[in-house]
Amino acid sequence: MRRLLRAAATASGILLGTALAIPVAFGRLVDAGGPGVLAVAVAAWAVLTAVAWLLLARLERGMPGTATRWARQAGGNELLFRSLIQMTPCGLCLVDTARAQPVVQNELMRRYDGAAERCGMDLYAALVETHVRTRCAGGQGGDPDIVEFEVSHPAAGPIPARHLLVSATRVVHAQRRVLLCVLQDLTARVELQQQKDLLHDQAEAAHRARSHLLAAMSHEIRTPLHGILGHLELLARSRLDSEQQARLRRITQSADSLLLIINDVLDLERVEADQLGLEAVRFEPAVLIEGVALLYAPLAQGKGVDLDLLIDPLLARHYSGPMTRIEQVLRNLVGNAVKFTPSGRIEIRLLRSRRPGALRWEVADSGIGLDTAQQQNLFEPFIQADASIAGRFGGSGLGLSLCRQLCRAMGGGIDVQSTPGVGSVFGFDIPLMAAERPGDAGCGPLSGRQVLLHSPVIGWREELARRLRGWGAEVLLLDSVGQLDLQGDGGPLPLVVFERNQRVAGPARPAGVGRIVRVRSDGPLRAALREGTWQVSAYSAASLLQVLLDAGGRGDGDPEG
């Protein structure tokens, strides 16, 4: 605007000076040239004067219009900015730092100040003081010129307490230093956090109370229950008729089920409280599987269900990990497999996992199976496949939930694959550290010896061959016992024969055979000599090794052999 005024004044001065100078010049021309020249000069002067006045009139008309438009635009911008300041959901203000008084503030800031004043607090003074204190304390992240802090005032009568988050920076306004502040109301957020803290404290208190209750239950309920089970065992050894024995078995089963439920509840509580003991020990996974199989073998045999083992021969012999909890998960899965398998076969597997540094344990059965909907919530507490499971098979629905919690606590996971009417495969992967590399076949207690092996069951043939080779023996596989007569005369060799349910047919004492060891699912835990041959449980590798070490190439005509 100023530039336009200066240009107009300059143009007017030039035109005016020109108009005044022309008559003087024309006078000189008249004196020199006469009346004709005078007429031309008058005409020229008239034209120049008209042009000058037209230009001045144009400038005079244009200047007010431009100035008016600029003034209107400036006024509109100021109105827009004031509207934006008033409508913003934050409190905005400029505070004179010397007097702690507002220079500019919006309506929301006035309400904040009024509420604080009625509660006995000078909000602007608090802003200045807290800003200085926060800057002195330091530790602000982000823009160093912007300081964030909180200001609160207590409740007073009907006026509730308010918590304000302030972002402040120092600026210069009208040649004086002021504090530009932006205030956000955090009252609802602070109250919500206080409610969360209160609920958290209440939950912690309830959790502690539950822990004390469960600890008391562990002592006050399990202790007398163990006493009941002990007396039931003693009672079973006394003279009872068949009806009394049947009732005693039902009582014992009920007491065992109650103890199992109590143990599961206590273990779940320990997992949730992060108090579960995970002691890492050095152990043999194969021996662990054998122990679990030996525990459930009588139940499986009573139902006519075959219980087999499958162990990867390339695995190391010893590992380090939480053996007790792994056994707990495995026992639960095998127990469920025996429970839900009316006939057929159950196989316990120890395999290499797809997870690096982990082993995979699987329990496969030919039981009732599960559909997709039943598998979705199977690992939730107190959930069973359907409502009829508890009535038909018993249980509380805690076992699989506990298995999942235990696997997670050990850094692994559990899964299931199942088909209704076909069976299920439950598997879990647990990270373990190999305590040694897989042993060489030439090293072991049977190193340098040959052992004959025959098994009509392929799975057990592979498992027994794995055991024998792991002990360093050279295994000679036979398709039939009659094939023994074709052996050379290199001295009598021990023969290991696996028998499922009936005795394998063959010569009573084949030529070239020393000790005969019959490995049976229902065999004794410790090897026993019966009818001139040794019998041992398929789930006791230690007993099989012992009877082979004692063979020494002798026959078994002598019971002490």
Side-chain angles (χ1 to χ4, degrees):
M1 185 65 181
R2 292 178 180 177
R3 291 179 180 177
L4 183 59
L5 292 175
R6 284 198 298 269
T10 302
S12 300
I14 293 173
L15 291 174
L16 182 59
T18 302
L20 294 176
I22 286 175
V24 177
F26 284 171
R28 294 177 181 175
L29 289 174
V30 170
D31 293 339
V37 177
L38 177 61
V40 175
V42 170
W45 178 80
V47 172
L48 291 175
T49 303
V51 171
W53 284 109
L54 285 174
L55 289 175
L56 288 174
R58 179 68 180 271
L59 289 173
E60 186 176 354
R61 286 195 304 270
M63 286 171 50
T66 303
T68 302
R69 285 195 301 272
W70 287 353
R72 288 177 180 175
Q73 184 177 0
N77 290 340
E78 182 179 359
L79 181 61
L80 175 61
F81 293 150
R82 288 184 179 273
S83 300
L84 289 175
I85 291 174
Q86 294 297 334
M87 294 175 62
T88 183
C90 301
L92 298 175
C93 65
L94 290 177
V95 184
D96 188 338
T97 55
R99 299 183 300 164
Q101 293 294 323
V103 178
V104 178
Q105 59 182 342
N106 64 354
E107 182 59 31
L108 184 56
M109 186 64 201
R110 290 190 183 92
R111 292 202 296 267
Y112 288 164
D113 178 50
E117 185 177 359
R118 288 192 294 273
C119 294
M121 175 183 176
D122 188 343
L123 181 57
Y124 294 107
L127 292 176
V128 174
E129 293 174 2
T130 311
H131 175 264
V132 173
R133 186 166 58 251
T134 306
R135 283 186 62 86
C136 294
Q140 285 286 328
D143 191 343
D145 294 332
I146 300 177
V147 179
E148 287 191 353
F149 53 89
E150 291 186 15
V151 173
S152 304
H153 66 75
I159 302 175
R162 176 172 279 125
H163 306 275
L164 300 171
L165 176 63
V166 183
S167 298
T169 183
R170 294 181 297 184
V171 297
V172 177
H173 173 71
Q175 298 182 351
R176 57 177 172 175
R177 300 189 68 84
V178 295
L179 191 64
L180 172 61
C181 298
V182 180
L183 286 74
Q184 303 178 54
D185 193 347
L186 299 181
T187 304
R189 188 185 305 178
V190 171
E191 291 178 351
L192 179 60
Q193 184 61 43
Q194 291 175 348
Q195 292 177 359
K196 288 182 178 180
D197 294 340
L198 178 61
L199 292 176
H200 180 267
D201 293 340
Q202 293 176 348
E204 287 290 337
H207 180 73
R208 287 192 296 270
R210 185 177 62 177
S211 299
H212 291 316
L213 175 63
L214 291 174
M217 184 175 70
S218 175
H219 175 74
E220 300 297 337
I221 297 181
R222 287 202 300 186
T223 299
L225 187 56
H226 281 298
I228 293 173
L229 289 171
H231 284 287
L232 290 176
E233 183 178 355
L234 294 175
L235 184 59
R237 299 179 182 179
S238 61
R239 296 180 179 179
L240 300 174
D241 57 34
S242 58
E243 183 178 355
Q244 291 172 335
Q245 288 285 356
R247 291 181 178 178
L248 181 61
R249 283 195 296 271
R250 286 194 290 270
I251 295 174
T252 303
Q253 291 175 356
S254 299
D256 288 335
S257 299
L258 178 58
L259 181 60
L260 180 62
I261 293 174
I262 293 174
N263 289 336
D264 287 346
V265 170
L266 293 174
D267 285 337
L268 276 175
E269 171 60 26
R270 292 191 185 99
V271 172
E272 293 178 358
D274 198 19
Q275 297 178 351
L276 186 68
L278 294 176
E279 180 183 3
V281 298
R282 188 172 182 267
F283 71 103
E284 296 184 49
V287 174
L288 187 150
I289 283 184
E290 292 170 3
V292 174
L294 186 63
L295 179 65
Y296 288 96
L299 296 176
Q301 293 166 6
K303 300 177 66 173
V305 176
D306 297 332
L307 181 59
D308 297 338
L309 306 181
L310 175 63
I311 300 174
D312 190 332
L314 298 180
L315 296 177
R317 183 177 179 183
H318 293 91
Y319 285 84
S320 179
M323 181 195 70
T324 303
R325 297 304 176 182
I326 293 176
E327 181 180 4
Q328 184 176 359
V329 175
L330 189 61
R331 288 175 61 176
N332 198 304
L333 297 181
V334 175
N336 283 346
V338 174
K339 181 192 301 184
F340 297 113
T341 304
S343 62
R345 177 169 170 264
I346 298 172
E347 186 174 68
I348 309 175
R349 306 167 182 165
L350 176 60
L351 310 170
R352 285 172 291 180
S353 174
R354 294 181 179 178
R355 290 187 175 188
L359 293 185
R360 180 166 178 84
W361 316 71
E362 290 184 349
V363 178
D365 64 65
S366 58
I368 60 177
L370 301 163
D371 58 31
T372 304
Q374 291 172 333
Q375 296 176 37
Q376 290 180 352
N377 299 321
L378 190 62
F379 295 99
E380 297 297 327
F382 302 104
I383 296 295
Q384 293 183 325
D386 57 62
S388 65
I389 294 296
R392 289 188 295 160
F393 301 99
S396 61
L398 282 177
L400 291 178
S401 175
L402 177 60
C403 288
R404 182 178 66 174
Q405 297 283 9
L406 290 174
C407 290
R408 288 178 176 176
M410 291 185 287
I414 188 170
D415 55 78
V416 59
Q417 299 176 1
S418 184
T419 302
V422 176
S424 305
V425 178
F426 284 84
F428 62 99
D429 302 86
I430 303 298
L432 294 175
M433 181 177 295
E436 61 190 23
R437 293 185 177 181
D440 296 332
C443 302
L446 297 182
S447 179
R449 299 190 187 184
Q450 292 182 326
V451 178
L452 303 172
L453 174 61
H454 170 69
S455 172
V457 181
I458 297 178
W460 275 107
R461 182 170 61 199
E462 294 176 352
E463 170 59 21
L464 292 174
R466 180 197 65 81
R467 295 182 188 179
L468 295 172
R469 293 189 180 109
W471 296 327
E474 179 184 353
V475 181
L476 305 177
L477 297 176
L478 304 177
D479 294 332
S480 66
V481 177
Q483 187 181 352
L484 293 171
D485 294 331
L486 303 178
Q487 298 297 322
D489 55 355
L493 300 177
L495 169 63
V496 176
V497 180
F498 177 78
E499 299 176 339
R500 173 75 78 184
N501 298 317
Q502 58 184 2
R503 189 164 182 169
V504 174
R509 177 67 59 180
V513 173
R515 173 165 294 190
I516 300 177
V517 183
R518 300 185 182 275
V519 180
R520 300 176 58 90
S521 301
D522 58 351
L525 181 59
R526 298 184 62 182
L529 184 62
R530 297 175 181 174
E531 300 178 358
T533 61
W534 288 88
Q535 294 188 11
V536 66
S537 170
Y539 312 114
S540 178
S543 296
L544 174 61
L545 175 61
Q546 187 61 44
V547 74
L548 291 175
L549 288 175
D550 292 343
R554 295 177 298 166
D556 289 310
D558 183 1
E560 296 181 0

